[in-house]
Amino acid sequence: QSFYFKSSLVAPSDFNGERYMFSCAVAAHEFIRMIEKQRRDKRSSRSNIRQLNESNLRVYGGGEAIGGGEGLHHNVSSSIIVAGANHAKPTSDLLWALTQPRGNLAIRFGGWILAKVFRHTAMEVEIDVASFEALSRAISLSGSSSSKSNATPRVVIIAPTHRSFYDFLIVSYICFTLPELGLDIPHIAAASDFASIPIIGWLARRSHAFFVKRGVGDTKKKDHDLSIRNNLTRITTERKEGPTFIEVFIEGKRSRDRTFIKPKTGFLRSVVETTEGQETVVLPLTINYEGLSDQTSLANEASHGLHEEMSLRRLMNWMRSVFAGNVNIGRVYISASENMVMPKSDNGQNIQKFAYAIQSRHQSRVMVSNYHIKSASLALELSEEVVLEALLELGCQIWPESSDYNMATLARTMPENREMLWASMLQFGHLLGPFIAISHPMWSLWLSPSFEQLGVNSTCNNKAVGTILSKLVQQFELAEKIVDKALENLHSKGFHSPDEKHVIQYLPARAQVPMLLMQVAVKVKVPPAGISHKKSRIIRHVKPLFASSVVSAASGKLQNNPNAEAFGAWGYQDSCFVLNVKPDRSKYAMMKGKRYAISGKPLTGLADFVEKELNAVIDPNGVTFPACGDLRHIPESDLTAESISEIVASFGGDESRISLRQADRARHGTGHTQEDMYDLRTGLIRFRLPDAVVWPENEGEVQALVSLASQNDWCLIPFGGGTNVTHSTHCPHKEIDPRQMISVDMKLMRRVIWVNEEDGVAYVEAGITGLELIRHMEKLGFTIGHEPDSYEFSTLGGWIATKASGMKQNKYGNIEDIVREVNVVGAKGLMSHKHKMEMTSVGRSSAGVDMKSLMLGSEGCFGIIVSAVIKIWPLAESRSHESVLLPNFGAGLRYVKGLSKMRSLKPASVRLLDNEQFRLGQALRASPSRFQSFRNLVSKNIGYYIGNFSERSVVCATITFEGTSEEVKMQKRSVRELASMHGGILAGSTVGKAGYDLTFAIAYLRDFALNYNILGESFETFVPWSKLTRVIEATKRKIYSEHKRRALPGAPFVCSRVTQLYDDGVCVYFYFCMNICGVGEPSDIFAEIERSARQEILDNGGSLSHHHGLGKLRSAFVRQIYSQDKAHHQSC
């Protein structure tokens, strides 16, 4: 039948029917083609996903070696690439992480970050999926094949090898990425060090980590095991069904040199006790690396002894390197051994043998690639063919090479130095250990600690293997010879029992063998010294060193002074640094008392800073010196009873103001040099002490005392605050001066006699301390403008006698600018100005040599200063602080030189800290909260980035402003503009004030450090601008060379600080401290190095002293700075 339809439409006369039919056909064709395309696209999308998955799948067979059991295997096996540059991803990392079937928000965030990190650092992270099948069956069916029980295991311990920080991340990443393996994301037994790191500790906890302590001593072992069991109980209880997965490293710590470490058993024993006989399965996991992300740190530690703990700052720096493309570890291959059932009880050695069995399974899955073969070839200077032949003979599993991994890729990831080459070669070191068990047992156990436990005994006649062993043994024996030579050198320097660190320090940096091997040789030849908190009790609080004074440093009216000075240490009795230990064994310092800004605040960075900088270990239990030595051996006073009676009579019969006690004589015969403190602490005072100490109360008593001294041929030694660091109060030996020596303590003469506010002068007795004088004047609305670092204890008389200088000399001048008149009692009576006026002073007079000029710097030689008229100023209207960070010390010196030329715009105080002292100041900051730590770190990194600063070069200038509001405003503007010109950035008033306040607390550090075998001292000089850089560099260099020449332990810490600015130069302080553990006569050796540094200062253009004076300590240098006749008088 024909088909037609009727329509009322009439085609136009020019209608072309054939054209119309063709158009319809074309439209139909396009419609059908579009539908087919959509169908093809859907099929293609599914195909692309399959292709991506297939591109991540590696199938090995046909003779390629791959992990899967003991020895070489040529069976068909498969693995999956889960991360890295070669990993094909179907979608964005973030979308992938969010759509994974398991994991909380922290884990998904971590997965997203890790996917990016692995892509930037690794070529591929490959998983041998077939090796996990046995465990999957054990979980889903009836336990492991070796178990008689049909119960599903309650706990699954994933026990990976531990070579890198990546190990923590890889296992969790695998479980997150491949839920098909049947492994839950494990709870990670992480080291407690991570818990306190801001951000990292928080993320770790939310990613199923719990924290355990490492290296706990026997006394705390029970508490430690209980803590582990409590964590295990909590974790297993939270799991409602199925086994609990826990990740733990049985070796305890990372082995970045890739040797196997003797396994630890504490965690495994705790698991046995917690599971109470229920089945626990262990899955040994071998993580094979070509390169290591932290192998550079291994090389630095081996070569330079620089050990850096994990921190948020270090992690951020590493992440910056990662995304800059500077980290490349090549390939990673993860393979599981057959799961093992843990013993249900620990009778004797069960757990120990089981741990070694786990390690043996680890070793069976170790793989070697061309990377390791080439490293071994370069390290041993052998051909790659010989190395490969030996490995095949030893049954080593060879890493199969993929088509996209060529020699160019290999070259980019090869180690950069010899230490890293050897570490890479030691990937297969465990295979060689058994062959040298008889000839070199120590080295055998280092290469393969489980070899002896498992009763393996190996021999091999293969030539290639023999060649490698011969090369290894040659290097081992050479390492031992070098260590023997280093020991002989130390013995010749007087160190007969050096510890490991000391020996390693003096190993040659460029020896024929890598430092890695020499360090192993040291561990065998030198008995470990040990730290008592590792093998003994952990104390939570060390008794303060000077909690109670042995005896008051003064007698009579000073005994009940609440501000009494400590004996045998700097400062007040109620203030000192103490060392505490947290429950996690981390050490922190704290300053007792309430006097200073840092008092009562935990200083968590100080102990760590000192240990790193001095390459020393601070033992919290090992207080080296007592608060005060035994003073009973001090000879009795030579002062006769008749002489004593005469003195008492001159004091109106007050017997309390004369003392013959050993403690008072010891304090007044010493100052605050390191020799003084060392002698007082040991009780071995090696110099003559005064025969008596007296405390006059007024000028008349001083005159009477001087008169008696003239009659009886006594020698009087004025004593102010006792803060001298020049041995000025040391008594000469009797062979030089046989007279009786009497110390005249002026502290009871501390009155402010009058103040003339109109003329701006005050008349004050010389025994008043700076703190008392400042407080008295502040009550009246004035300031004396003189504020030396020692102002709390030093006296007005002492300032005049030593020609002192204060921090604010830029505004108020030095003591010579502040003192107007001086009154002195000499052998012929009172010497003073006699102007016809009362309660004021002549500001300037041209009438010959005046008394002030004679007394400034006289150091008590011309008489006893009893009083002085000084200049005073109204209190400043405005006071504030600022700090400036500059890129390096050179920029800092140019900056402060610019400030010195600013005349009236020069701030009251400017101090420039070099990098070492700036970092010490940072270590003395109170511990911030975690949020503050993160904020500080971010702001510091941003600031360093903006200023192009480096943590090891940045310096800081702390600035104090005083004046009218307008003056301070103008000074701040000038400081800011000058900082910009020299590449500096403002760090804020908080840092500036903290630096200013720290000046007074930091003085307590020296005597605190002496508790722990660290001896320190400071010394100062004036240096012209033209000689400044040379003096500082030469002095530091001299100290380092002298320290090395004597083969002293640890590293010397040397820093410097510019403290006062002048038009023509600056005052520079040097600070030097060193580790004296095991050093004979340390105080004498320290003094020798200090004298060498002082000579270097003079040789390069510095002065003998800027404001400390000469005393007896520097008298030997006087002939170098004065003419012959004057030098003779100064020395006398």
Side-chain angles (χ1 to χ4, degrees):
Q1 291 183 340
S2 60
F3 176 80
Y4 66 93
F5 64 90
K6 294 175 69 173
S7 174
S8 60
L9 293 175
V10 178
S13 58
D14 59 347
F15 176 74
N16 187 333
E18 291 180 359
R19 184 179 180 87
Y20 175 72
M21 290 176 63
F22 178 77
S23 298
C24 289
V26 170
H29 174 74
E30 287 298 319
F31 179 72
I32 293 170
R33 194 158 70 94
M34 182 181 67
I35 293 174
E36 287 297 325
K37 183 177 181 299
Q38 290 177 349
R39 291 174 178 172
R40 283 198 307 271
D41 288 346
K42 288 182 179 179
R43 289 195 298 267
S44 176
S45 178
R46 290 192 292 268
S47 176
N48 286 341
I49 293 173
R50 284 197 299 271
Q51 289 174 9
L52 284 171
N53 290 333
E54 289 171 3
S55 67
N56 289 328
L57 182 66
R58 291 277 169 81
V59 179
Y60 302 103
E64 286 188 317
I66 188 66
E70 303 295 333
L72 287 171
H73 291 263
H74 302 283
N75 302 324
V76 176
S77 183
S78 63
S79 61
I80 294 178
I81 299 174
V82 295
N86 291 342
H87 176 242
K89 59 184 184 119
T91 183
S92 72
D93 293 329
L94 182 58
L95 182 60
W96 165 80
L98 292 175
T99 54
Q100 284 297 100
R102 292 184 304 195
N104 58 30
L105 189 59
I107 291 173
R108 294 177 189 278
F109 173 76
W112 172 55
I113 295 296
L114 288 179
K116 294 185 177 300
V117 169
F118 288 142
R119 188 173 301 112
H120 281 80
T121 60
M123 292 299 298
E124 52 193 37
V125 178
E126 193 173 349
I127 314 298
D128 180 5
V129 292
S131 63
F132 288 84
E133 290 179 2
L135 180 63
S136 297
R137 290 196 302 271
I139 295 170
S140 60
L141 298 177
S142 58
S144 69
S145 58
S146 60
S147 176
K148 303 296 183 182
S149 171
N150 290 327
T152 300
R154 181 184 178 189
V155 177
V156 175
I157 303 292
I158 301 176
T161 51
H162 197 13
R163 303 291 179 264
S164 168
F165 280 124
Y166 267 25
D167 302 330
F168 289 97
L169 312 172
I170 284 178
V171 175
S172 294
Y173 187 82
I174 292 171
C175 298
F176 177 67
T177 305
L178 296 176
E180 300 88 346
L181 292 178
L183 307 181
D184 277 356
I185 298 170
H187 297 268
I188 305 172
S192 56
D193 308 32
F194 289 93
S196 58
I197 302 176
I199 310 300
I200 303 303
W202 181 86
L203 278 174
R205 286 186 181 90
R206 280 151 185 80
S207 300
H208 298 176
F210 63 99
F211 301 100
V212 296
K213 301 173 190 174
R214 295 185 302 189
V216 176
D218 294 336
T219 57
K220 285 292 179 180
K221 190 175 185 305
K222 290 183 179 179
D223 291 342
H224 175 246
D225 292 346
L226 178 61
S227 174
I228 293 177
R229 290 197 297 271
N230 289 340
N231 273 308
L232 290 172
T233 301
R234 174 182 59 80
I235 292 167
T236 54
T237 304
E238 289 173 354
R239 183 75 175 182
K240 300 301 181 184
E241 57 182 42
T244 300
F245 288 78
I246 300 172
E247 178 187 352
V248 65
F249 303 103
I250 64 167
E251 291 177 307
K253 60 181 181 178
R254 288 175 300 155
S255 175
R256 287 167 295 166
D257 62 11
R258 310 201 197 204
T259 56
F260 284 89
I261 301 173
K262 181 180 178 181
K264 307 296 187 292
T265 59
F267 191 89
L268 297 178
R269 295 180 195 277
S270 296
V271 171
V272 170
E273 294 173 8
T274 305
T275 54
E276 299 176 347
Q278 298 186 48
E279 185 169 287
T280 298
V281 170
V282 175
L283 179 66
L285 212 61
T286 302
I287 305 177
N288 293 283
Y289 294 94
E290 287 190 323
L292 291 178
S293 61
D294 29 10
Q295 64 187 2
T296 303
S297 63
L298 169 67
N300 288 336
E301 289 176 27
S303 302
H304 310 294
L306 300 174
H307 176 67
E308 190 174 6
E309 299 291 342
M310 175 54 72
S311 64
L312 185 59
R313 177 192 56 78
R314 183 182 173 193
L315 177 64
M316 290 180 70
N317 291 337
W318 181 80
M319 290 290 285
R320 191 159 48 230
S321 297
V322 165
F323 290 104
N326 298 327
V327 180
N328 190 343
I329 65 173
R331 296 178 297 170
V332 184
Y333 192 91
I334 301 97
S335 180
S337 299
E338 185 179 352
N339 47 284
M340 308 166 66
V341 177
M342 184 180 290
K344 290 186 171 61
S345 62
D346 179 23
N347 53 352
Q349 299 297 315
N350 277 2
I351 296 298
Q352 185 71 57
K353 290 180 179 178
F354 184 71
Y356 277 110
I358 295 173
Q359 191 170 78
S360 180
R361 300 264 178 116
H362 284 155
Q363 294 173 353
S364 72
R365 292 282 178 159
V366 169
M367 298 176 65
V368 174
S369 73
N370 284 339
Y371 177 94
H372 307 104
I373 293 171
K374 190 171 183 64
S375 295
S377 169
L378 294 172
L380 298 177
E381 298 179 348
L382 295 172
S383 69
E384 294 179 35
E385 290 75 14
V386 170
V387 176
L388 179 59
E389 180 186 343
L391 292 176
L392 291 173
E393 176 66 24
L394 295 171
C396 183
Q397 299 184 51
I398 306 301
W399 205 318
E401 303 300 332
S402 59
S403 58
D404 51 1
Y405 194 74
N406 52 38
M407 293 306 295
T409 304
L410 178 65
R412 288 197 300 270
T413 59
M414 284 304 297
E416 300 171 356
N417 58 41
R418 185 171 54 174
E419 306 295 334
M420 294 161 66
L421 284 172
W422 270 80
S424 300
M425 182 192 69
L426 291 172
Q427 174 85 357
F428 57 84
H430 63 283
L431 297 173
L432 302 169
F435 297 102
I436 57 173
I438 296 175
S439 61
H440 298 79
M442 177 270 293
W443 293 101
S444 174
L445 286 176
W446 175 62
L447 291 171
S448 184
S450 62
F451 152 68
E452 186 180 81
Q453 292 291 327
L454 299 174
V456 180
N457 188 20
S458 298
T459 58
C460 183
N461 297 321
N462 180 270
K463 183 178 179 181
V465 175
T467 302
I468 288 182
L469 290 173
S470 175
K471 286 281 189 177
L472 280 178
V473 168
Q474 180 183 354
Q475 293 285 293
F476 293 162
E477 292 177 348
L478 186 54
E480 292 182 18
K481 289 180 182 178
I482 293 172
V483 170
D484 287 336
K485 189 174 181 180
L487 285 168
E488 289 176 9
N489 176 52
L490 290 173
H491 293 163
S492 70
K493 301 289 186 181
F495 298 102
H496 299 292
S497 300
D499 60 16
E500 288 182 15
K501 276 192 170 184
H502 196 179
V503 179
I504 291 172
Q505 180 184 348
Y506 289 97
L507 293 174
R510 296 183 178 180
Q512 295 173 290
V513 295
M515 184 64 70
L516 180 67
L517 298 185
M518 290 188 285
Q519 289 177 346
V520 176
V522 169
K523 289 181 182 297
V524 174
K525 290 182 171 290
V526 179
I531 295 299
S532 55
H533 75 259
K534 288 185 177 179
K535 297 185 178 180
S536 182
R537 63 191 181 92
I538 297 177
I539 57 173
R540 303 200 180 279
H541 186 78
V542 175
K543 183 180 178 182
L545 180 60
F546 302 110
S548 59
S549 179
V550 176
V551 63
S552 174
S555 268
K557 298 179 182 180
L558 294 180
Q559 266 189 332
N560 297 320
N561 186 353
N563 295 323
E565 185 186 1
F567 184 84
W570 177 268
Y572 296 103
Q573 288 184 14
D574 63 358
S575 298
C576 64
F577 283 99
V578 293
L579 188 65
N580 296 284
V581 182
K582 291 182 179 179
D584 64 358
R585 295 188 303 114
S586 62
K587 292 167 279 198
Y588 70 95
M590 181 179 289
M591 191 171 201
K592 290 180 62 64
K594 300 179 180 179
R595 295 179 181 272
Y596 304 99
I598 63 171
S599 295
K601 298 175 181 177
L603 311 173
T604 54
L606 180 59
D608 184 58
F609 176 86
V610 172
E611 288 182 327
K612 288 179 179 176
E613 293 296 322
L614 274 75
N615 194 20
V617 176
I618 296 177
D619 181 359
N621 291 338
V623 176
T624 310
F625 298 101
C628 175
D630 186 356
L631 304 179
R632 290 175 295 180
H633 73 281
I634 293 176
E636 294 294 327
S637 170
D638 290 338
L639 204 63
T640 64
E642 182 181 356
S643 297
I644 294 171
S645 298
E646 289 183 283
I647 294 172
V648 171
S650 70
F651 287 172
D654 188 350
E655 295 181 355
S656 69
R657 291 193 281 123
I658 182 171
S659 173
L660 274 64
R661 293 181 300 178
Q662 286 97 333
D664 285 330
R665 291 166 55 209
R667 175 64 189 96
H668 286 74
T670 57
H672 273 284
T673 65
Q674 61 86 14
E675 296 102 314
D676 291 333
M677 295 301 102
Y678 185 87
D679 284 6
L680 287 175
R681 297 280 293 273
T682 59
L684 303 175
I685 299 176
R686 296 166 291 178
F687 43 84
R688 183 182 175 191
L689 296 176
D691 294 289
V693 181
V694 298
W695 287 269
E697 282 187 329
N698 53 59
E699 187 179 288
E701 289 184 349
V702 175
Q703 292 187 58
L705 187 63
V706 171
S707 178
L708 285 174
S710 298
Q711 296 170 20
N712 293 285
D713 197 25
W714 301 333
C715 175
L716 302 182
I717 303 174
F719 186 92
T723 61
N724 77 87
V725 287
T726 60
H727 296 170
S728 58
T729 55
H730 286 196
C731 298
H733 292 293
K734 288 184 178 180
E735 293 79 10
I736 298 173
D737 191 339
R739 294 178 296 172
Q740 283 96 34
M741 302 284 161
I742 298 175
S743 177
V744 184
D745 191 321
M746 300 294 290
K747 288 196 189 74
L748 296 183
M749 294 182 62
R750 55 178 186 264
R751 295 178 302 150
V752 176
I753 299 172
W754 52 254
V755 174
N756 186 326
E757 297 184 4
E758 183 177 358
D759 293 344
V761 291
Y763 183 33
V764 187
E765 289 185 325
I768 192 168
T769 66
L771 182 62
E772 292 172 321
L773 182 54
I774 287 171
R775 286 178 175 174
H776 185 97
M777 291 301 168
E778 283 182 346
K779 290 177 181 178
L780 301 176
F782 290 89
T783 178
I784 62 171
H786 189 69
E787 201 170 274
D789 294 1
S790 62
Y791 84 97
E792 296 166 293
F793 310 101
S794 56
T795 62
L796 175 60
W799 297 344
I800 298 169
T802 58
K803 202 173 182 180
S805 178
M807 286 193 288
K808 300 176 183 177
Q809 73 84 23
N810 291 347
K811 182 173 180 64
Y812 303 105
N814 290 315
I815 194 66
E816 61 266 28
D817 304 304
I818 296 171
V819 172
R820 289 289 181 260
E821 295 182 7
V822 179
N823 295 326
V824 183
V825 175
K828 301 297 183 180
L830 181 66
M831 299 181 286
S832 66
H833 292 278
K834 292 187 177 180
H835 298 290
K836 302 294 184 179
M837 57 188 70
E838 294 181 357
M839 294 184 62
T840 190
S841 171
V842 175
R844 189 177 188 277
S845 173
S846 178
V849 177
D850 60 8
M851 190 60 59
K852 181 184 87 169
S853 300
L854 284 175
M855 290 301 109
L856 284 166
S858 63
E859 300 190 25
C861 294
F862 296 160
I864 300 175
I865 300 170
V866 291
S867 58
V869 177
I870 61 172
K871 185 81 174 74
I872 59 175
W873 289 262
L875 287 173
E877 176 186 325
S878 176
R879 294 180 183 178
S880 67
H881 300 270
E882 186 55 270
S883 58
V884 179
L885 297 180
L886 295 122
N888 51 61
F889 198 55
L893 291 178
R894 291 189 293 272
Y895 175 67
V896 296
K897 185 177 181 180
L899 288 177
S900 73
K901 309 299 183 183
M902 290 172 61
R903 303 293 181 181
S904 60
L905 293 178
K906 184 165 39 174
S909 173
V910 177
R911 293 193 164 198
L912 176 67
L913 317 181
D914 71 1
N915 177 258
E916 289 79 9
Q917 185 154 124
F918 176 60
R919 288 188 290 109
L920 171 61
Q922 296 296 294
L924 284 165
R925 294 172 63 183
S927 304
S929 65
R930 290 180 180 176
F931 172 75
Q932 289 173 326
S933 295
F934 178 70
R935 184 189 62 187
N936 294 343
L937 182 66
V938 171
S939 60
K940 184 175 78 171
N941 275 274
I942 292 174
Y944 281 13
Y945 178 78
I946 293 173
N948 194 25
F949 297 159
S950 163
E951 190 166 2
R952 285 280 173 173
S953 67
V954 64
V955 300
C956 182
T958 59
I959 301 170
T960 301
F961 304 97
E962 282 193 14
T964 65
S965 298
E966 188 60 30
E967 284 176 336
V968 170
K969 184 178 179 180
M970 292 173 63
Q971 288 174 359
K972 285 186 173 182
R973 183 169 61 247
S974 299
V975 161
R976 183 171 59 251
E977 292 172 353
L978 192 62
S980 179
M981 291 171 56
H982 291 278
I985 59 173
L986 300 186
S989 59
T990 302
V991 174
K993 188 174 189 311
Y996 183 85
D997 294 339
L998 197 60
T999 300
F1000 311 109
I1002 203 172
Y1004 290 79
L1005 274 180
R1006 181 195 63 181
D1007 304 307
F1008 166 68
L1010 187 56
N1011 291 356
Y1012 305 103
N1013 272 321
I1014 297 170
L1015 194 56
E1017 186 62 283
S1018 65
F1019 47 95
E1020 42 68 62
T1021 181
F1022 174 88
V1023 188
W1025 288 112
S1026 60
K1027 308 290 185 182
L1028 185 53
T1029 300
R1030 188 172 78 183
V1031 166
I1032 292 174
E1033 291 178 352
T1035 304
K1036 289 185 175 183
R1037 199 162 49 240
K1038 186 65 173 179
I1039 293 173
Y1040 286 125
S1041 66
E1042 288 293 315
H1043 186 276
K1044 185 176 182 179
R1045 184 174 69 83
R1046 291 170 170 80
L1048 296 170
F1053 178 72
V1054 188
C1055 61
S1056 60
R1057 176 174 72 181
V1058 172
T1059 59
Q1060 278 101 335
L1061 305 182
Y1062 300 91
D1063 289 342
D1064 51 348
V1066 299
C1067 171
V1068 178
Y1069 261 92
F1070 291 95
Y1071 297 82
F1072 161 46
C1073 61
M1074 69 180 197
N1075 177 15
I1076 60 172
C1077 183
V1079 179
E1081 304 297 335
S1083 180
D1084 293 342
I1085 289 176
F1086 188 101
E1088 290 172 8
I1089 297 176
E1090 184 183 342
R1091 282 194 292 272
S1092 297
R1094 176 63 62 185
Q1095 185 63 59
E1096 197 72 15
I1097 290 172
L1098 292 175
D1099 292 345
N1100 284 278
S1103 72
L1104 190 52
S1105 176
H1106 172 262
H1107 59 269
H1108 282 167
L1110 297 175
K1112 299 171 184 66
L1113 184 65
R1114 297 176 184 144
S1115 60
F1117 296 98
V1118 170
R1119 295 181 186 278
Q1120 299 184 43
I1121 62 172
Y1122 290 130
S1123 61
Q1124 191 71 15
D1125 290 341
K1126 186 172 183 180
H1128 174 73
H1129 291 298
Q1130 290 281 354
S1131 299
C1132 293

